[in-house]
Amino acid sequence: MKDYIQIDEWKIIEEGFDPHHNKISESIFSLGNGRMGQRANFEEAYSGDTLQGNYIAGVYYPDKTRVGWWKNGYPEYFAKVLNAANWIGIDIAIDGEQLDLAKCEVTGFRRELNMKDGYLKRNFTAKTAKGKEVEVEAVRFCSMADDESGAIKYTLTPLNFSGTVTVTPFIDGDVVNKDSNYDEKFWDQVKKETWAACGYIQMRTKKTGFEVATGMEFSIFQNGQQIPTNAQPVEKEKYVAVKNELRVTQGQSTTIIKYAANLSSQNHNAADLANELKNTLSRISGKGFDTMLAEQASAWAEKWKHNDIIIEGDASAQQAIRFNIFQLNQTYTGEDDRLNIGPKGFTGEKYGGSTYWDTEAYCVPFYLSTADQKVTRNLLLYRYKQLGKAIDNAKLLGFDNGAALYPMVTMDGAECHNEWEITFEEIHRNGAIAYAIFNYVRYTADEAYLADYGLEVLIAIARFWSQRVNWSDDKQQYVMLGVTGPNEYENNVNNNWYTSKLATWCMQYTMDVAAKVKAAEPEKYTTLVNSINFKEAEETARFRDIIEKMYLPYDDKLQVFLQQDGYLDKEQILVKDLPATERPINQKWSWDRILRSCYIKQADVLQGIYFFEDQYDMETIRRNFDFYEPRTVHESSLSPCVHSILAAKLGDEARAYEFYLRTARLDLDDYNNDTEDGCHITSMAGTWMAVVEGFGGMRVRDGKLSFQPFLPGKWQSFSFNIGFRGTFIKVIVSRDTVKVNHLSGPDINLLIRECECYLKAGSATVVKTTTVTVEAPEPPADLDIA
Ligand code: BGC
């Protein structure tokens, strides 16, 4: 754990330059706009330890899989998001000596991520080996308003000399991924050009053939005046640069403004890329840096209006939750249904930028409440569009009749994961995809989605489950053999409760939706049934039979759901009795030892209870929580949020807060010593869930929002903004009251601590948490809103 990040409610601040922290900070201070993302690498040269990263959403490379023992059904490749051409580079030479912070004495270093307005600022003073001192301020952002663009304002002031400074803004396409199986270079140059103070390079990915044109236009100012550049193009393979020799005077600043854009053939014709890039560059440079920055601030203000969580009385928690919300918004903006959310977003290469079940299980609730419903709809459509590949994937594994197995890891719908226990066994991901459809519809009431897309996906998923189970003569029940649950510290187990429960739920939900669509949209239903050859009577009879006779392991003595057959045969030593020196077990123990132990990597049975809490009474939830929590090591960052929400539900406020703390500052404090690889973006959504669903106790029931809030002891109050079916509200939880302000949209009916509250536009309601007094307008007699 580190604690070098300064606390500030709206900013992430690093003071002082410590090269050991550099890669961590490069992740934390990353910028993105949903379309492109950039690690906080330096503009000028840096020969120290760094992980360069400019990622273009959806542009990937199928890296050949390296495995020792090939198994039928393994995917051939692991798609990974690519480090694309460096657009931020500005090489600086001071009287011929390259500015490189790894070779300078650095003072006054400060990096500041302004989350309110969406930009990164870096200041430092550097003394070169030859004793030249310069002061630098660099401000940059990835524009939310022009999401293929970014801009940099780089100001350099000589402190103890007058002389020549050579400024060379460049675009470097000769880049690599650190994580490449065969140390391959993934890009070929298509073309490049430099002219005046501009240049671009167009690169094509090997195999996938994506083309990306990355270009720049810059201007240089001294004494507030733009100066003519004596630009000299630099010729090098996969590289364009324009060199400018400038006379500089001690104490006088030189400012370089660099506009840049990354345009990809995903969104433009490859043949038009160069022209469109030139148009984009002249459009953004025409706006100017200050206008772009002002647009950036208003785009972020709009986001914060819907997203912000305010915590009073704990600046560190305030900073952390805003950081999480900020990063989620930088990662996915929801305009494009071909894009998704990698567990590290745009902040690093780990997990290859690919899509995991994290999206459906953890990110969907965040986007549902904080963004327009089309954002989540696009996440669902992403899977809908990949249904064909999920069906192919299931075929490859021996399933038929249009059964679909969605991949554990994917970029374009094809499976990328190549460890048998995950690829073939961690099939619960299929259920999360169905659950996200349920969650979306319950939240938005967009039932049309079911007829148009959802039902088709659900039937394919239900078909998979109905084939994946088998009848056990011995048990006279259906069983599900050879699976891995969310707890990856158990492989190839029989009858993982969570997976089997989810499978039966999927089949039931599919039948419910089918009946609903059949009644509401009979024509669409018939068309679908015919196109996928759904033999309703026969297939639903099998679903029903499985639901009725599914074996869901349960221990009568403990009265808990059993994680899987045989779980109780394991030596039951609780986590509290494990010496701290043995943890994390995934770093200290052999895999064999982990598999034989009772330790649970992440919520498994409890994940199921979280999903289906309405089916269980408090005592059941408590018994399962009390049994599984002490055996859980939380070695996935996705785990503590689920435990936090359940602890809150059980009224254990202290523990709810304790679990929340485990991920709230996970990256800011580099808890796991792995932030240098990138930030844990999907678990950030879990942290949001812990606040809103845990402390706020928010749920959607019968088409209504309900809240069961409590205030963590250390906080004076907290509030969060929520959008629900066109209405925006602010929920403010303080020591004695819960107040809900109606911000905009139609009237809304809510439940606050079981009290019905009817909230008219512009009004507020206050519920006293102790006496439960409702001060709110009476609902009209003909009330008919959800
Ligand atoms: C977790 C998975 C998760 C993946 C990506 C793994 O450590 O066990 O559940 O999908 O990380 O976040």
Side-chain angles (χ1 to χ4, degrees), residues 343 351 356-358 408 426 486 488 601-602 635-636 638 682:
Y351 296 114
Y356 285 65
W357 73 301
D358 305 27
M408 184 65 187
E426 215 177 321
E488 293 175 342
K601 180 183 181 189
Q602 66 199 91
E635 289 180 11
S636 159
L638 298 175
T682 49

